[in-house]
Amino acid sequence: MPILLIVWLAKLAAVATRLRGGSGSALPGYLAERLRPDILKRLAMGLSQGSLIITGTNGKTTTTKLLAAILESNGQAVVVNRSGSNLSRGVISALIANLDWRGRPRRLVGLFEVDEAWVPKVVAALRPRAIVILNLFRDQLDRYGELDRTAKVMSGAIKASQSQVILNADDPLVASLAAGLPHGRVVTFGIDALTIGRLGEDRTADSESCPVCGRALHYRRRYFSHLGIYACPEGHFQRPRATVTAKGVELKAEAGSDLKIMTPAGDLSLTLPLPGLYNVYNALAATAAAQAMAVVPAVIEQVLATAKAAFGRVEAIEYRGRHLLILLIKNPAGFTQILQTFLLGRSGAKVVLAINDNLADGRDVSWLWDVPLEELSASQPVVITSGTRGVNMQLRLKYAGIEAEQTDDPLSALNRWIDRAGPGETIYVLPTYTAMLALRQRLAKTVKLPEMNA
Amino acid sequence: MTQHLTIIHLYAAEMNIYGDRGNIITLIKRLEWRGLEAKVQEVGIGEAYEFEQADIIFAGGGQDRGQVAVGQDLQTKAESLHQAAQAGVTMLTVCGTYQLFGRRFVTLAGEEIPGIGIFGAETVGGSKRMIGNITIETEFGRLVGFENHSGRTRLDSGQAALGRVMRGHGNDGTSKAEGAVMENVYGTYLHGPVLPQNPHFADRLILTALQRKYGTIKLTPLDDTLELAAAAVAGRRPQ
């Protein structure tokens, strides 16, 4: 079937889906791929300025958003796939949407967030200029099996390609992906600031063993989870020097962070409006990737200083006269960062936890026990649990010394707090992925919310 | 002086990937709630310990990469662990360490990792992953958990299983056997983690340890309404 015909069919499918209230970000691509398995490769050829892909466990959506804003500000119009549509069909859908009815691409630079397991396929088809790997945390292990397997899969994809790789130096497993690559292909980013370290004992750490021999790594500094300055006790492996480095980091909770970033092209100094250490890494990754696209430091600095969080990640919503903060939680590292950034030391915070175990959330909820909720009990938050595994969350909290109420429906839980809260009081909503989507959809009926792709 | 139990967390740093830390937390709290103390000590690779001095030993699951290093180190601890097992020390091993408590683990590539042979069992790496919510029936009650393993463990004819699979894959996906038991030593593939939502299992471990140390016959019952509700939810979720 000629490509243009496939494109039209896919576009019609997108229109039909949107008429029925869907997003049109998966079906068109799925359809096109079924009709022509090499469609991704063919469509990618239309991106005359090439593409970049962003992958990793946490931060894909935020980093993609930051980088898109930087490139747009630099006059490079990008085609981006919708967050959550990060499998090959999502990329294809975005590429098809980018074509006019004559099949000509409007925007010429591709920027795609890609699910870790789909990296080999997308890299082989797109042959991107750069692959950004943010981190590898334990996430949905029941889908991938293991971190090592994921890393191995990615390593294969990298070696089979010519792309530049942009790696998080502070993540041992990610840094190990540079092995065997020529020096010029690898760019790293990391934090080298002496004034920060994690609050309290961080036992959420996963992959903290040497990728070569399996022994536990020694950390000179540990930023959070398994990220930090590390070395194998037997000398097999250690944290590499970072190309792009945050030399000064001052965390200011909800207000964001003051950063001093050093790069080969010059230094940046800014206040990043996104909270938490995890967003410092997202900003560093976006900086390194932007430099690979020849964006000068001044432009990067200016865009980062006005950054806005992606939907559902750190989202402030006014609802029934109360201030809601929706803080997506996906895995122990992310959940711990949210606790430390927003809830630690905030006495009596009203919290709703919405824990689902649908496929996209991860079916195994064992991970809740890797979150150091014990550290939170002294702050005495008041919590209502909800979601398909709300009861299991309630049990976890019991063992952490926090007594929580439980109700199945997250919106009911939210309304219960609103009824008891004072005007202008903040309610912290911590949902897993599908719970976040469902809640947003229901809130959108009465509150004007930014589009899901904003 | 308050009664206390020494809990050894074996390979806490190398095998800590599935929330198994929750099992340690469960033991600690259930002792505290009864006015007893828990002293937790971590013993890792290259660290020696006289395991007969422990009251409860726990070791969790990890990645294959950790399994090789842990397997090698476990050989140096084998004699002490065997003595402890014979002396009746209570032990719970999950997933990766459960496999290493058998005779050996043969990887998909054919590489053989020797175990320490406390259980009469052998594990062979497979290509199919056995994943999902699992319910088993044991002599002390129903256990609910989540399994995630590609290793297939076969028990010798004389080796008792921990329980019978009511829903899920179990040791090898065909025999309906899950886990293994030898005296006070337990092995299982159940994550969840297994102890918080199966309080009767947690209490069995605590009681056998207290029995051996102080001659305790009975435990003060705790209010397990929430634990059982959590198990009920887990048991109703799709596999």
Side-chain angles (χ1 to χ4, degrees), chain A residues 138 148 209 357 369 399, chain B residues 17 21 63 65 227 237:
Chain A
R138 227 204 84 209
D148 277 353
S209 21
D357 64 345
W369 293 79
Y399 279 79
Chain B
I17 199 165
R21 197 177 139 256
Q63 303 200 81
R65 183 216 311 164
E227 283 78 351
R237 296 302 290 152

Side-chain angles (χ1 to χ4, degrees), chain B residues 92-114:
Chain B
L92 173 61
T93 60
V94 179
C95 206
T97 31
Y98 160 41
Q99 292 170 341
L100 289 171
F101 265 48
R103 266 194 306 278
R104 60 183 186 159
F105 178 86
V106 182
T107 71
L108 198 56
E111 191 193 337
E112 187 172 313
I113 303 173

Side-chain angles (χ1 to χ4, degrees), chain B residues 73-146:
Chain B
D73 186 79
L74 206 47
Q75 295 303 320
T76 67
K77 296 175 163 61
E79 198 181 318
S80 180
L81 285 167
H82 270 273
Q83 274 166 10
Q86 267 143 43
V89 173
T90 302
M91 306 188 203
L92 173 61
T93 60
V94 179
C95 206
T97 31
Y98 160 41
Q99 292 170 341
L100 289 171
F101 265 48
R103 266 194 306 278
R104 60 183 186 159
F105 178 86
V106 182
T107 71
L108 198 56
E111 191 193 337
E112 187 172 313
I113 303 173
I116 60 173
I118 288 188
F119 295 131
E122 291 195 355
T123 305
V124 175
S127 48
K128 191 183 108 163
R129 209 140 252 278
M130 289 180 271
I131 280 182
N133 286 300
I134 176 171
T135 303
I136 70 175
E137 204 63 63
T138 73
E139 61 165 28
F140 50 90
R142 182 163 289 201
L143 301 187
V144 178
F146 192 98

Side-chain angles (χ1 to χ4, degrees), chain A residues 201-437:
Chain A
E201 249 263 313
D202 191 336
R203 298 301 273 148
T204 64
D206 21 44
S207 77
E208 47 170 30
S209 21
C210 172
V212 175
C213 70
R215 276 183 188 73
L217 292 169
H218 287 173
Y219 282 75
R220 197 154 50 82
R221 288 206 73 75
R222 202 192 268 267
Y223 298 127
F224 72 92
S225 187
H226 61 264
L227 303 188
I229 316 277
Y230 51 83
C232 166
E234 297 296 303
H236 296 125
F237 180 71
Q238 66 179 30
R239 187 238 191 220
R241 273 195 57 193
T243 325
V244 171
T245 309
K247 274 288 193 188
V249 177
E250 203 189 311
L251 299 171
K252 292 161 23 176
E254 269 155 75
S257 312
D258 288 340
L259 299 178
K260 285 194 179 9
I261 303 175
M262 281 174 41
T263 84
D267 295 355
L268 292 78
S269 184
L270 65 127
T271 300
L272 181 73
L274 306 176
L277 260 185
Y278 54 105
N279 275 314
V280 173
Y281 280 108
N282 292 334
L284 286 172
T287 301
Q291 295 205 317
M293 296 294 283
V295 183
V296 302
V299 172
I300 301 174
E301 188 183 80
Q302 191 245 319
V303 174
L304 288 180
T306 54
K308 288 190 178 55
F311 81 89
R313 267 72 183 164
V314 180
E315 190 165 15
I317 297 176
E318 299 306 309
Y319 179 66
R320 294 180 59 201
R322 310 285 184 268
H323 185 65
L324 304 187
L325 258 186
I326 302 197
L327 304 164
L328 176 68
I329 52 173
K330 299 195 298 176
N331 48 55
F335 195 160
T336 306
Q337 276 287 284
I338 297 280
L339 292 181
Q340 292 175 348
T341 308
F342 294 97
L343 296 177
L344 211 58
R346 194 178 294 267
S347 177
K350 288 186 168 62
V351 179
V352 172
L353 280 159
I355 310 292
N356 282 352
D357 64 345
N358 297 315
L359 202 56
D361 307 296
R363 313 280 337 281
D364 181 3
V365 293
S366 304
W367 67 275
L368 297 173
W369 293 79
D370 279 329
V371 184
L373 287 151
E374 287 75 12
E375 285 174 26
L376 195 58
S377 64
S379 308
Q380 298 193 310
V382 279
V383 184
I384 306 179
T385 55
S386 62
T388 58
R389 300 302 286 267
V391 177
N392 297 96
M393 185 72 233
Q394 193 188 17
L395 182 64
R396 170 68 188 106
L397 289 168
K398 173 183 173 182
Y399 279 79
I402 298 171
E403 206 180 305
E405 291 172 39
Q406 151 73 18
T407 187
D408 285 338
D409 177 33
L411 191 56
S412 302
L414 181 55
N415 282 323
R416 203 187 282 187
W417 270 150
I418 289 173
D419 292 337
R420 297 185 213 166
E425 196 175 329
T426 300
I427 297 169
Y428 299 88
V429 183
L430 278 58
T432 59
Y433 190 69
T434 66
M436 183 269 289
L437 293 178

Side-chain angles (χ1 to χ4, degrees), chain B residues 46-61:
Chain B
E47 290 165 9
Y49 187 80
E50 298 260 0
F51 290 100
E52 238 180 289
Q53 296 181 1
D55 297 313
I56 301 181
I57 299 171
F58 172 76

